[in-house]
Amino acid sequence: MPPIPEPVPWAQPLPEASPPAGMTLHHLPTGTYVTRAALAFRGGSFGDKRHFASSAVLVQHPAGDLLIDAGFGTGVADHIAMLPRFVRAPYETGPTVSSQLDTAGYDRSRLLGVLPTHSHWDHVSGLDGLPGTPIWMNANERGYAATDPDGKVFRSVSQGHEIHEYGFADRPYLGFASSYDVHGDGSVVIALAGGHTTGSVIVFVTLPTGTRYAFIGDLTWQIDGIRRRVERPWLLSKLADSDREQLRQGLQHVIAVEGLMQVVPAHDLGAYQGIPLLSDGPSLRTG
């Protein structure tokens, strides 16, 4: 397929947001796995080896904190063993989200829950170290995770967790048809994107400084998908995505606002640049 047509850049005022003083954002990297660029986006090279990030992001807000995704957990080797052999890849693990929270002396009573951008293994493995923490999911993703073969790891690590099911208002947000304002102040807004999984979401975060972020999950695996306006290769999309046309529309919406905020595909390690780490941890170890 040709590149995605270049959309008209977003020219309307950005949605109102009143993030409270003290709201912060932290990157919690938990490891990487290796994928060739040719398998990540159309036009990528087989000689370009990409280290796909598996990370979480902690959004601290006076009304309660959220983790966006959960990264690799202590049982990641077992979780990878649940996958079909053809999707397994060499990987490296770092400190889990749980250990990073403990190292930083984080008060887990502040944590409202873990908000997966979607339920695939590399976004939820770390739930195994967060017992008692609610999982925030919408009905579409909850249904997908309960029935799709790619939800196998989620079904394992989510046992014993409360599912906090959130819904969407019929309220457009930056081109997406429906959204959910977590705190009612515009600082954390979840938009239903779909396309990759039926309930996959984008989490828009606005800090008190006015800096805005779009955590787009696996709408594209690398920032090249946004900047080059390209999708996944046909076969990979066939295997990985639930609705290619919906995915394409989501990419167009994000491409239109990319100049107004920091866009963070979940697996692009460089896209997290500038987001402070919660704590320094031990160096990566090979798995």
Side-chain angles (χ1 to χ4, degrees), residues 89-102:
Y91 67 96
E92 294 181 318
T93 61
T96 64
V97 167
S98 179
S99 68
Q100 290 182 63
L101 294 176
D102 290 344

Side-chain angles (χ1 to χ4, degrees), residues 34-52 222 224 228 230-231 233:
V34 177
T35 300
R36 303 287 176 173
L39 303 177
F41 55 89
R42 289 181 64 87
S45 167
F46 272 103
D48 183 358
K49 186 184 293 185
R50 300 290 176 102
H51 292 269
F52 272 33
Q222 300 279 279
D224 305 72
R228 299 189 188 189
V230 291
E231 300 164 86

Side-chain angles (χ1 to χ4, degrees), residues 131-205:
T133 304
I135 302 169
W136 284 41
M137 300 187 84
N138 60 73
N140 287 351
E141 190 63 14
R142 192 172 182 180
Y144 173 92
T147 59
D148 194 274
D150 286 336
K152 185 176 182 179
V153 173
F154 175 82
R155 292 191 289 274
S156 172
V157 297
S158 63
Q159 292 182 28
H161 287 261
E162 172 196 347
I163 303 295
H164 173 82
E165 186 174 305
Y166 62 87
F168 294 100
D170 187 15
R171 184 178 301 146
Y173 192 93
L174 295 174
F176 294 94
S178 56
S179 62
Y180 172 61
D181 187 339
V182 172
H183 298 294
D185 58 12
S187 63
V188 182
V189 176
I190 308 168
L192 178 61
H196 182 52
T197 65
T198 54
S200 54
V201 299
I202 294 174
V203 187
F204 293 95
V205 177

Side-chain angles (χ1 to χ4, degrees), residues 4-17:
I4 296 167
E6 185 170 4
V8 176
W10 187 266
Q12 302 174 40
L14 289 171
E16 290 187 11

Side-chain angles (χ1 to χ4, degrees), residues 69 117-118 123 201-202 214-221 264-267:
D69 290 331
T117 53
H118 61 290
H123 297 257
V201 299
I202 294 174
F215 295 98
I216 66 172
D218 286 7
L219 193 67
T220 179
W221 287 325
V264 184
H267 299 304

